[in-house]
Amino acid sequence: MGQVGWGVMNRKMILSKSALHEGFENEYSESNVGIHEFVHLIDKSDGAVDGLPEVILQKQYVIPWLKMIHQEIGKIKKNHSDIYPYGSFSEAEFFSVVAEYFFKQPKHFEKKHPELFWMMDKMFHCQHQ
Ligand SMILES: [Zn+2]
């Protein structure tokens, strides 16, 4: 559906147009391939796609953020989380999958995952209505 490029495609992303539209058209879905791949690009801007977006994640939050990621990945693997299972694949996928949820269903996400919400809110400096 989409991917972030390496080599000559470095800092570029390729998206399926229909998948991109679908993500924005279905407001009740938690997924959005545009957000997902864009967040991989933000993650990659420090050189590594590792779920630690150093450009937007302040140093003092790195350890707590990693703890939250690993805790929630554990829950996903035990089927105790409503986060899309693909997020348990790696820290980087977790970050992108959770960002989709955060941007598409902010209120629901805040209720279900207050700590993750707080952290994402800090990273993206968002104002929600
Ligand atoms: Zn991904």
Coordinates of all heavy atoms in Angstrom, one line a residue, residues 38-128:
F38 N 4.0 8.7 6.2 CA 4.5 10.1 6.5 C 5.2 10.0 7.9 O 6.3 10.6 8.1 CB 3.4 11.1 6.5 CG 3.9 12.5 6.7 CD1 4.8 13.1 5.8 CD2 3.6 13.2 7.9 CE1 5.3 14.4 6.0 CE2 4.2 14.5 8.1 CZ 5.0 15.1 7.2
V39 N 4.6 9.3 8.8 CA 5.2 9.2 10.1 C 6.5 8.3 10.1 O 7.5 8.6 10.8 CB 4.2 8.6 11.1 CG1 4.8 8.1 12.4 CG2 3.1 9.6 11.5
H40 N 6.6 7.4 9.1 CA 7.9 6.7 9.0 C 8.9 7.7 8.5 O 10.1 7.6 8.9 CB 7.7 5.6 7.9 CG 7.2 4.3 8.4 ND1 7.5 3.8 9.7 CD2 6.4 3.3 7.9 CE1 6.9 2.6 9.8 NE2 6.2 2.3 8.8
L41 N 8.5 8.6 7.6 CA 9.5 9.6 7.1 C 10.0 10.5 8.3 O 11.1 10.9 8.4 CB 8.9 10.5 6.1 CG 8.9 10.0 4.6 CD1 8.4 11.1 3.7 CD2 10.3 9.6 4.2
I42 N 9.0 10.9 9.2 CA 9.4 11.7 10.3 C 10.4 10.9 11.2 O 11.4 11.4 11.6 CB 8.2 12.1 11.2 CG1 7.3 13.0 10.4 CG2 8.6 12.8 12.5 CD1 5.9 13.3 11.0
D43 N 10.1 9.7 11.4 CA 10.9 8.8 12.2 C 12.3 8.7 11.6 O 13.3 8.7 12.2 CB 10.2 7.4 12.2 CG 10.9 6.4 13.1 OD1 11.9 6.7 13.8 OD2 10.4 5.3 13.2
K44 N 12.3 8.6 10.2 CA 13.6 8.4 9.5 C 14.4 9.6 9.4 O 15.6 9.6 9.1 CB 13.2 7.9 8.1 CG 14.4 7.3 7.3 CD 13.8 6.8 6.0 CE 14.9 6.0 5.2 NZ 15.8 6.9 4.4
S45 N 13.9 10.8 9.7 CA 14.6 12.0 9.5 C 15.9 12.2 10.4 O 16.7 13.0 10.1 CB 13.7 13.3 9.7 OG 13.2 13.2 11.0
D46 N 16.0 11.3 11.4 CA 17.2 11.3 12.2 C 18.2 10.2 11.7 O 19.2 9.9 12.3 CB 16.9 11.1 13.7 CG 16.1 9.9 14.0 OD1 16.3 8.9 13.3 OD2 15.3 9.9 14.9
G47 N 17.8 9.6 10.6 CA 18.7 8.6 10.0 C 18.2 7.1 10.3 O 18.7 6.2 9.6
A48 N 17.4 6.9 11.3 CA 17.0 5.5 11.6 C 15.5 5.4 11.7 O 14.8 6.3 12.4 CB 17.6 5.1 12.9
V49 N 14.9 4.4 11.1 CA 13.5 4.1 11.3 C 13.4 3.1 12.4 O 13.5 1.9 12.3 CB 12.8 3.5 10.0 CG1 11.3 3.3 10.2 CG2 13.1 4.3 8.8
D50 N 13.2 3.7 13.6 CA 13.3 2.9 14.8 C 12.2 3.2 15.9 O 12.3 2.7 17.0 CB 14.7 3.0 15.5 CG 15.0 4.5 15.8 OD1 14.1 5.4 15.5 OD2 16.1 4.8 16.2
G51 N 11.2 4.0 15.5 CA 10.2 4.3 16.4 C 10.6 5.4 17.3 O 9.8 5.8 18.2
L52 N 11.8 5.9 17.2 CA 12.3 7.0 18.1 C 12.5 8.3 17.2 O 13.6 8.4 16.6 CB 13.6 6.7 18.8 CG 13.5 5.5 19.8 CD1 14.9 5.2 20.3 CD2 12.6 5.9 21.0
P53 N 11.5 9.1 17.0 CA 11.6 10.2 16.1 C 12.4 11.4 16.9 O 11.7 12.2 17.5 CB 10.2 10.6 15.8 CG 9.4 10.1 17.0 CD 10.2 9.0 17.6
E54 N 13.7 11.3 16.8 CA 14.5 12.2 17.6 C 14.2 13.7 17.3 O 14.4 14.6 18.2 CB 16.0 11.9 17.5 CG 16.3 10.7 18.4 CD 17.6 9.9 17.9 OE1 18.6 10.6 17.8 OE2 17.5 8.7 17.7
V55 N 13.7 14.0 16.1 CA 13.4 15.4 15.8 C 12.2 16.0 16.6 O 12.1 17.2 16.8 CB 13.2 15.7 14.3 CG1 14.5 15.7 13.5 CG2 12.3 14.6 13.7
I56 N 11.3 15.1 17.0 CA 10.2 15.6 17.7 C 10.0 15.0 19.1 O 9.2 15.4 19.9 CB 8.8 15.3 16.9 CG1 8.7 13.8 16.6 CG2 8.7 16.2 15.7 CD1 7.3 13.5 16.0
L57 N 10.9 14.0 19.4 CA 10.8 13.4 20.7 C 12.0 13.9 21.6 O 13.1 13.7 21.3 CB 10.9 11.9 20.6 CG 10.9 11.0 21.9 CD1 9.5 11.1 22.5 CD2 11.2 9.6 21.6
Q58 N 11.6 14.6 22.7 CA 12.6 15.2 23.5 C 13.3 14.1 24.3 O 12.7 13.1 24.6 CB 11.9 16.2 24.5 CG 11.5 17.5 23.9 CD 10.6 18.3 24.9 OE1 9.4 18.1 25.0 NE2 11.3 19.2 25.6
K59 N 14.6 14.3 24.5 CA 15.5 13.3 25.1 C 14.9 12.7 26.4 O 15.0 11.4 26.5 CB 16.9 13.9 25.4 CG 17.8 13.8 24.3 CD 19.3 13.9 24.8 CE 20.3 13.4 23.7 NZ 20.3 14.3 22.5
Q60 N 14.4 13.5 27.2 CA 13.9 12.9 28.5 C 12.7 11.9 28.4 O 12.4 11.2 29.3 CB 13.6 14.0 29.5 CG 12.3 14.8 29.2 CD 12.7 16.1 28.5 OE1 13.6 16.1 27.6 NE2 11.9 17.1 28.8
Y61 N 12.1 12.0 27.2 CA 11.0 11.1 27.0 C 11.3 9.8 26.2 O 10.5 9.0 26.0 CB 9.9 11.8 26.2 CG 9.3 13.0 27.0 CD1 9.3 14.3 26.4 CD2 8.8 12.8 28.3 CE1 8.8 15.4 27.1 CE2 8.4 13.9 29.0 CZ 8.3 15.2 28.4 OH 7.9 16.2 29.1
V62 N 12.6 9.7 25.8 CA 13.0 8.5 25.0 C 12.7 7.2 25.8 O 12.1 6.3 25.3 CB 14.4 8.6 24.6 CG1 14.9 7.2 24.0 CG2 14.6 9.7 23.5
I63 N 13.2 7.1 27.0 CA 13.1 5.9 27.8 C 11.6 5.6 28.2 O 11.1 4.5 27.9 CB 13.9 6.0 29.1 CG1 15.4 6.2 28.8 CG2 13.7 4.7 30.0 CD1 16.1 5.1 28.2
P64 N 10.8 6.6 28.7 CA 9.4 6.3 28.9 C 8.7 5.9 27.7 O 7.8 5.0 27.7 CB 8.9 7.7 29.5 CG 10.0 8.5 29.8 CD 11.2 7.9 29.2
W65 N 9.0 6.5 26.6 CA 8.3 6.2 25.3 C 8.6 4.7 24.9 O 7.7 4.0 24.6 CB 8.8 7.2 24.2 CG 8.3 6.9 22.8 CD1 9.2 6.7 21.7 CD2 7.0 6.8 22.3 NE1 8.4 6.4 20.6 CE2 7.1 6.5 20.9 CE3 5.7 6.9 22.9 CZ2 6.0 6.3 20.1 CZ3 4.6 6.7 22.1 CH2 4.7 6.4 20.7
L66 N 9.9 4.3 25.0 CA 10.2 2.9 24.7 C 9.5 2.0 25.6 O 9.0 0.9 25.2 CB 11.8 2.7 24.8 CG 12.6 3.0 23.6 CD1 14.1 2.9 23.9 CD2 12.2 2.1 22.4
K67 N 9.4 2.3 26.9 CA 8.7 1.5 27.9 C 7.3 1.3 27.5 O 6.7 0.2 27.5 CB 8.8 2.1 29.3 CG 10.0 1.6 30.0 CD 9.9 2.0 31.5 CE 11.3 1.8 32.2 NZ 11.5 2.7 33.3
M68 N 6.6 2.4 27.1 CA 5.2 2.4 26.7 C 5.1 1.5 25.5 O 4.1 0.7 25.4 CB 4.7 3.8 26.3 CG 4.4 4.7 27.5 SD 3.8 6.3 26.9 CE 4.2 7.3 28.3
I69 N 6.0 1.7 24.5 CA 5.9 0.9 23.3 C 6.0 -0.6 23.6 O 5.1 -1.4 23.2 CB 7.1 1.2 22.3 CG1 6.9 2.7 21.8 CG2 7.1 0.2 21.1 CD1 8.1 3.1 20.8
H70 N 7.0 -1.0 24.4 CA 7.2 -2.4 24.7 C 6.0 -3.0 25.5 O 5.6 -4.1 25.3 CB 8.5 -2.6 25.3 CG 9.6 -2.3 24.4 ND1 10.9 -1.8 24.8 CD2 9.7 -2.4 23.0 CE1 11.6 -1.6 23.7 NE2 11.0 -2.0 22.7
Q71 N 5.5 -2.2 26.4 CA 4.4 -2.6 27.2 C 3.1 -2.9 26.3 O 2.5 -3.9 26.4 CB 4.0 -1.5 28.2 CG 3.4 -2.0 29.5 CD 3.3 -0.9 30.5 OE1 2.9 0.3 30.2 NE2 3.6 -1.2 31.7
E72 N 2.9 -1.9 25.4 CA 1.7 -2.1 24.6 C 1.9 -3.2 23.5 O 1.0 -3.9 23.2 CB 1.4 -0.7 23.9 CG 0.0 -0.6 23.4 CD -1.1 -0.7 24.4 OE1 -0.9 -0.3 25.6 OE2 -2.2 -1.4 24.1
I73 N 3.1 -3.3 23.0 CA 3.4 -4.4 22.1 C 3.1 -5.8 22.8 O 2.5 -6.7 22.2 CB 4.9 -4.4 21.5 CG1 4.9 -3.2 20.5 CG2 5.3 -5.7 20.9 CD1 6.3 -3.1 19.9
G74 N 3.5 -5.9 24.0 CA 3.2 -7.1 24.8 C 1.7 -7.4 24.9 O 1.3 -8.5 24.7
K75 N 0.9 -6.3 25.1 CA -0.5 -6.4 25.1 C -1.1 -6.8 23.8 O -2.0 -7.7 23.7 CB -1.2 -5.1 25.6 CG -1.0 -4.8 27.1 CD -1.8 -3.6 27.4 CE -1.4 -3.1 28.8 NZ -2.0 -1.7 29.0
I76 N -0.6 -6.2 22.7 CA -1.0 -6.6 21.4 C -0.8 -8.1 21.1 O -1.7 -8.8 20.7 CB -0.3 -5.8 20.3 CG1 -0.6 -4.3 20.4 CG2 -0.7 -6.3 18.9 CD1 0.2 -3.4 19.5
K77 N 0.4 -8.5 21.5 CA 0.7 -9.9 21.3 C -0.2 -10.9 22.1 O -0.4 -12.0 21.7 CB 2.2 -10.2 21.5 CG 3.1 -9.6 20.4 CD 4.5 -9.9 20.6 CE 5.3 -9.5 19.4 NZ 6.8 -9.4 19.7
K78 N -0.7 -10.4 23.2 CA -1.6 -11.3 24.0 C -3.0 -11.0 23.6 O -3.9 -11.5 24.3 CB -1.4 -10.9 25.5 CG -0.1 -11.6 26.1 CD -0.1 -11.3 27.6 CE 1.3 -11.3 28.2 NZ 1.4 -10.3 29.2
N79 N -3.2 -10.2 22.6 CA -4.6 -9.9 22.2 C -5.3 -9.0 23.2 O -6.6 -9.1 23.3 CB -5.4 -11.2 22.0 CG -5.8 -11.2 20.5 OD1 -6.2 -10.2 19.9 ND2 -5.8 -12.4 19.9
H80 N -4.6 -8.3 24.0 CA -5.2 -7.4 25.0 C -5.2 -5.9 24.6 O -5.3 -5.1 25.5 CB -4.6 -7.6 26.4 CG -4.8 -8.9 27.0 ND1 -4.0 -9.5 28.0 CD2 -5.7 -9.9 26.7 CE1 -4.4 -10.7 28.3 NE2 -5.4 -11.0 27.5
S81 N -5.1 -5.7 23.4 CA -5.0 -4.3 22.9 C -5.9 -4.1 21.7 O -6.1 -5.0 20.9 CB -3.5 -3.9 22.6 OG -3.5 -2.6 22.0
D82 N -6.4 -2.9 21.5 CA -7.2 -2.6 20.4 C -6.4 -2.0 19.3 O -6.9 -1.5 18.2 CB -8.4 -1.7 20.7 CG -7.9 -0.3 21.2 OD1 -6.8 -0.2 21.7 OD2 -8.6 0.7 21.0
I83 N -5.1 -1.9 19.5 CA -4.2 -1.4 18.5 C -3.9 -2.5 17.4 O -3.8 -3.6 17.7 CB -2.8 -0.9 19.1 CG1 -3.1 0.3 19.9 CG2 -1.8 -0.6 18.0 CD1 -2.0 0.8 20.8
Y84 N -3.9 -2.0 16.2 CA -3.8 -2.9 15.0 C -2.5 -3.8 15.2 O -1.4 -3.3 15.5 CB -3.7 -2.1 13.7 CG -3.7 -2.8 12.5 CD1 -4.7 -3.7 12.1 CD2 -2.7 -2.6 11.5 CE1 -4.7 -4.4 10.9 CE2 -2.7 -3.3 10.3 CZ -3.7 -4.2 10.0 OH -3.7 -4.8 8.8
P85 N -2.7 -5.1 15.1 CA -1.6 -6.1 15.4 C -0.3 -5.8 14.6 O 0.8 -6.1 15.1 CB -2.2 -7.4 15.0 CG -3.7 -7.3 15.0 CD -3.9 -5.8 14.7
Y86 N -0.4 -5.2 13.5 CA 0.8 -4.9 12.7 C 1.8 -4.0 13.5 O 3.0 -4.1 13.3 CB 0.5 -4.2 11.4 CG 1.6 -4.1 10.4 CD1 2.3 -5.2 10.0 CD2 2.1 -2.9 10.0 CE1 3.4 -5.2 9.2 CE2 3.2 -2.8 9.2 CZ 3.9 -3.9 8.7 OH 4.9 -3.8 7.9
G87 N 1.2 -3.3 14.5 CA 2.0 -2.4 15.3 C 3.0 -3.2 16.2 O 3.9 -2.6 16.7
S88 N 2.7 -4.5 16.4 CA 3.6 -5.2 17.3 C 4.8 -5.8 16.5 O 5.7 -6.4 17.1 CB 2.9 -6.4 17.9 OG 2.5 -7.4 16.9
F89 N 4.9 -5.5 15.2 CA 6.0 -6.0 14.4 C 7.3 -5.4 14.8 O 8.3 -6.1 14.8 CB 5.7 -5.7 12.9 CG 6.7 -6.2 11.9 CD1 6.7 -7.6 11.7 CD2 7.6 -5.4 11.3 CE1 7.7 -8.1 10.8 CE2 8.5 -5.9 10.4 CZ 8.6 -7.3 10.2
S90 N 7.4 -4.1 15.1 CA 8.6 -3.4 15.5 C 8.2 -2.1 16.1 O 7.1 -1.7 16.0 CB 9.5 -3.2 14.3 OG 8.9 -2.2 13.4
E91 N 9.2 -1.5 16.8 CA 9.0 -0.1 17.4 C 8.6 0.9 16.3 O 7.7 1.7 16.5 CB 10.3 0.4 18.1 CG 10.6 -0.3 19.3 CD 11.6 -1.5 19.1 OE1 11.7 -2.0 17.9 OE2 12.2 -2.0 20.1
A92 N 9.2 0.8 15.1 CA 8.9 1.7 14.0 C 7.4 1.5 13.6 O 6.7 2.5 13.3 CB 9.9 1.5 12.9
E93 N 7.0 0.3 13.4 CA 5.6 0.0 12.9 C 4.7 0.4 14.0 O 3.6 1.0 13.7 CB 5.4 -1.4 12.5 CG 6.2 -1.9 11.3 CD 6.0 -0.9 10.1 OE1 4.9 -0.3 10.0 OE2 6.9 -0.8 9.3
F94 N 5.0 0.2 15.3 CA 4.2 0.6 16.4 C 3.9 2.1 16.3 O 2.8 2.6 16.4 CB 4.8 0.3 17.7 CG 4.0 0.6 18.9 CD1 3.0 -0.3 19.4 CD2 4.1 1.9 19.5 CE1 2.2 0.1 20.4 CE2 3.3 2.2 20.6 CZ 2.3 1.3 21.1
F95 N 5.0 2.9 16.1 CA 4.9 4.3 16.1 C 3.9 4.8 14.9 O 3.1 5.6 15.1 CB 6.3 5.0 15.9 CG 6.3 6.5 15.8 CD1 5.5 7.2 16.7 CD2 7.1 7.1 14.9 CE1 5.5 8.6 16.6 CE2 7.2 8.5 14.9 CZ 6.4 9.2 15.7
S96 N 4.1 4.2 13.7 CA 3.3 4.6 12.6 C 1.8 4.2 12.8 O 0.9 4.9 12.5 CB 3.8 4.0 11.3 OG 4.8 4.8 10.8
V97 N 1.6 2.9 13.3 CA 0.3 2.4 13.5 C -0.5 3.2 14.6 O -1.6 3.6 14.4 CB 0.3 0.9 13.9 CG1 -1.0 0.4 14.4 CG2 0.7 0.1 12.7
V98 N 0.2 3.6 15.6 CA -0.4 4.3 16.7 C -0.6 5.8 16.3 O -1.6 6.4 16.7 CB 0.5 4.2 18.0 CG1 0.4 5.4 18.9 CG2 0.2 3.0 18.8
A99 N 0.2 6.3 15.4 CA 0.0 7.7 14.9 C -1.3 7.7 14.0 O -2.0 8.7 14.1 CB 1.2 8.1 14.1
E100 N -1.5 6.7 13.3 CA -2.8 6.6 12.5 C -4.0 6.7 13.4 O -4.9 7.4 13.2 CB -2.8 5.3 11.7 CG -1.8 5.1 10.6 CD -2.0 3.7 10.0 OE1 -3.0 3.5 9.3 OE2 -1.1 2.9 10.2
Y101 N -3.9 5.9 14.5 CA -5.0 5.8 15.5 C -5.1 7.2 16.1 O -6.2 7.7 16.2 CB -4.6 4.8 16.5 CG -5.7 4.3 17.5 CD1 -5.4 3.2 18.3 CD2 -6.9 4.9 17.6 CE1 -6.4 2.7 19.2 CE2 -7.8 4.5 18.5 CZ -7.6 3.4 19.3 OH -8.5 3.0 20.2
F102 N -4.0 7.8 16.5 CA -4.0 9.1 17.2 C -4.6 10.2 16.3 O -5.4 11.0 16.8 CB -2.5 9.4 17.5 CG -2.3 10.8 18.0 CD1 -2.5 11.1 19.4 CD2 -1.9 11.9 17.2 CE1 -2.2 12.4 19.9 CE2 -1.6 13.1 17.7 CZ -1.8 13.4 19.1
F103 N -4.3 10.2 15.0 CA -4.8 11.3 14.2 C -6.2 11.0 13.7 O -7.0 11.9 13.4 CB -3.9 11.5 12.9 CG -2.6 12.3 13.3 CD1 -1.4 11.7 13.3 CD2 -2.7 13.6 13.7 CE1 -0.3 12.4 13.7 CE2 -1.6 14.3 14.1 CZ -0.4 13.7 14.0
K104 N -6.6 9.7 13.5 CA -7.9 9.4 13.0 C -9.0 9.3 14.1 O -10.1 9.7 13.8 CB -7.8 8.1 12.2 CG -7.1 8.3 10.9 CD -7.7 7.5 9.8 CE -9.0 7.9 9.3 NZ -9.6 7.0 8.3
Q105 N -8.6 8.8 15.2 CA -9.6 8.6 16.3 C -9.1 9.2 17.6 O -8.9 8.5 18.6 CB -9.9 7.1 16.5 CG -10.3 6.4 15.3 CD -11.8 6.7 14.9 OE1 -12.5 7.2 15.7 NE2 -12.1 6.4 13.7
P106 N -8.7 10.5 17.6 CA -8.1 11.1 18.8 C -8.8 10.9 20.1 O -8.2 10.6 21.1 CB -7.9 12.6 18.4 CG -8.8 12.8 17.3 CD -8.9 11.5 16.5
K107 N -10.1 11.1 20.1 CA -10.8 11.0 21.3 C -10.9 9.6 21.9 O -10.7 9.4 23.1 CB -12.3 11.5 21.1 CG -12.3 13.0 20.9 CD -13.6 13.7 21.2 CE -13.5 15.2 21.1 NZ -14.1 15.7 19.9
H108 N -11.1 8.7 21.0 CA -11.1 7.3 21.4 C -9.7 6.8 21.8 O -9.6 6.2 22.8 CB -11.5 6.5 20.1 CG -11.9 5.1 20.4 ND1 -13.0 4.7 21.2 CD2 -11.3 3.9 20.1 CE1 -13.1 3.4 21.3 NE2 -12.1 2.9 20.7
F109 N -8.7 7.3 21.1 CA -7.4 6.9 21.5 C -7.0 7.5 22.8 O -6.4 6.8 23.7 CB -6.4 7.5 20.4 CG -5.0 7.1 20.6 CD1 -4.6 5.8 20.6 CD2 -4.0 8.1 20.8 CE1 -3.2 5.4 20.8 CE2 -2.7 7.7 21.1 CZ -2.3 6.4 21.0
E110 N -7.4 8.7 23.1 CA -7.1 9.3 24.4 C -7.7 8.6 25.5 O -7.1 8.4 26.6 CB -7.6 10.8 24.4 CG -7.2 11.5 25.7 CD -7.6 13.0 25.7 OE1 -8.5 13.4 24.9 OE2 -7.0 13.8 26.5
K111 N -9.0 8.1 25.3 CA -9.7 7.4 26.3 C -9.0 6.0 26.6 O -8.9 5.6 27.7 CB -11.1 7.1 25.9 CG -12.1 7.4 27.0 CD -13.5 7.7 26.5 CE -14.4 6.5 26.4 NZ -15.7 6.8 25.8
K112 N -8.7 5.3 25.5 CA -8.1 4.0 25.6 C -6.7 4.0 26.0 O -6.2 3.0 26.7 CB -8.3 3.3 24.3 CG -9.7 2.9 23.9 CD -10.1 1.6 24.6 CE -11.0 0.8 23.8 NZ -11.3 -0.5 24.5
H113 N -5.9 5.0 25.6 CA -4.5 5.0 25.8 C -4.0 6.3 26.3 O -3.3 7.0 25.5 CB -3.8 4.6 24.5 CG -4.3 3.3 23.9 ND1 -3.8 2.1 24.4 CD2 -5.2 3.1 22.9 CE1 -4.5 1.1 23.7 NE2 -5.3 1.7 22.8
P114 N -4.4 6.8 27.5 CA -4.1 8.1 27.9 C -2.6 8.4 27.9 O -2.2 9.5 27.6 CB -4.7 8.2 29.3 CG -5.0 6.8 29.7 CD -5.2 6.0 28.5
E115 N -1.8 7.5 28.3 CA -0.3 7.7 28.4 C 0.3 7.9 27.0 O 1.1 8.8 26.7 CB 0.4 6.6 29.1 CG 0.2 6.6 30.6 CD 1.1 5.7 31.3 OE1 1.3 4.5 30.8 OE2 1.6 6.1 32.4
L116 N -0.1 6.9 26.1 CA 0.4 7.0 24.7 C -0.1 8.3 24.1 O 0.6 9.0 23.4 CB -0.1 5.8 23.9 CG 0.6 4.5 24.1 CD1 -0.2 3.4 23.4 CD2 2.0 4.5 23.6
F117 N -1.4 8.7 24.4 CA -1.9 9.9 23.8 C -1.1 11.1 24.3 O -0.8 12.0 23.5 CB -3.4 10.1 24.3 CG -4.0 11.3 23.7 CD1 -4.7 11.2 22.5 CD2 -4.0 12.5 24.4 CE1 -5.3 12.4 21.9 CE2 -4.6 13.6 23.8 CZ -5.2 13.6 22.6
W118 N -0.8 11.2 25.5 CA -0.1 12.3 26.1 C 1.3 12.4 25.4 O 1.7 13.5 25.0 CB 0.1 12.0 27.6 CG 0.7 13.2 28.3 CD1 0.1 14.3 28.8 CD2 2.2 13.4 28.6 NE1 1.1 15.1 29.4 CE2 2.3 14.6 29.3 CE3 3.3 12.6 28.3 CZ2 3.5 15.0 29.7 CZ3 4.5 13.1 28.7 CH2 4.6 14.3 29.4
M119 N 1.9 11.3 25.2 CA 3.2 11.3 24.6 C 3.1 11.8 23.1 O 3.9 12.6 22.6 CB 3.8 9.9 24.7 CG 5.3 9.9 24.5 SD 6.2 10.8 25.7 CE 6.7 9.5 26.7
M120 N 2.2 11.2 22.4 CA 2.0 11.6 21.0 C 1.6 13.1 20.8 O 2.1 13.8 20.0 CB 0.9 10.8 20.3 CG 1.1 9.3 20.4 SD 2.3 8.7 19.3 CE 1.4 8.7 17.7
D121 N 0.8 13.5 21.8 CA 0.4 14.9 21.8 C 1.6 15.8 21.9 O 1.7 16.8 21.3 CB -0.7 15.1 22.9 CG -1.5 16.3 22.6 OD1 -2.0 16.4 21.5 OD2 -1.7 17.1 23.5
K122 N 2.5 15.4 22.8 CA 3.7 16.2 23.1 C 4.5 16.2 21.8 O 5.1 17.2 21.4 CB 4.5 15.5 24.2 CG 4.3 16.1 25.6 CD 5.6 16.1 26.3 CE 5.8 17.2 27.3 NZ 4.9 18.3 27.4
M123 N 4.6 15.1 21.1 CA 5.4 15.0 19.9 C 4.9 15.8 18.8 O 5.6 16.5 18.1 CB 5.5 13.5 19.4 CG 6.5 12.7 20.3 SD 6.8 11.1 19.4 CE 6.2 9.9 20.6
F124 N 3.6 15.8 18.6 CA 3.0 16.4 17.4 C 2.4 17.8 17.7 O 1.9 18.5 16.8 CB 1.9 15.5 16.8 CG 2.5 14.3 16.2 CD1 2.4 13.0 16.8 CD2 3.2 14.4 15.0 CE1 2.9 11.9 16.2 CE2 3.8 13.2 14.4 CZ 3.6 12.0 15.0
H125 N 2.4 18.2 19.0 CA 1.9 19.5 19.4 C 0.5 19.8 18.8 O 0.3 20.8 18.2 CB 2.8 20.6 19.0 CG 4.1 20.5 19.6 ND1 4.4 20.7 21.0 CD2 5.3 20.1 19.1 CE1 5.7 20.5 21.2 NE2 6.3 20.2 20.1
C126 N -0.4 18.8 19.0 CA -1.7 19.0 18.3 C -2.7 19.7 19.1 O -2.7 19.6 20.4 CB -2.2 17.6 18.0 SG -1.4 16.9 16.6
Q127 N -3.6 20.4 18.5 CA -4.8 20.9 19.1 C -6.0 20.2 18.6 O -6.2 20.2 17.4 CB -4.9 22.4 18.8 CG -3.8 23.3 19.3 CD -3.9 23.4 20.8 OE1 -5.0 23.5 21.4 NE2 -2.8 23.4 21.5
H128 N -6.7 19.5 19.4 CA -7.9 18.8 19.0 C -9.1 19.6 19.4 O -9.1 20.2 20.4 CB -8.0 17.4 19.6 CG -6.8 16.5 19.2 ND1 -6.6 16.1 17.9 CD2 -5.8 16.1 19.9 CE1 -5.5 15.4 17.9 NE2 -5.0 15.4 19.1

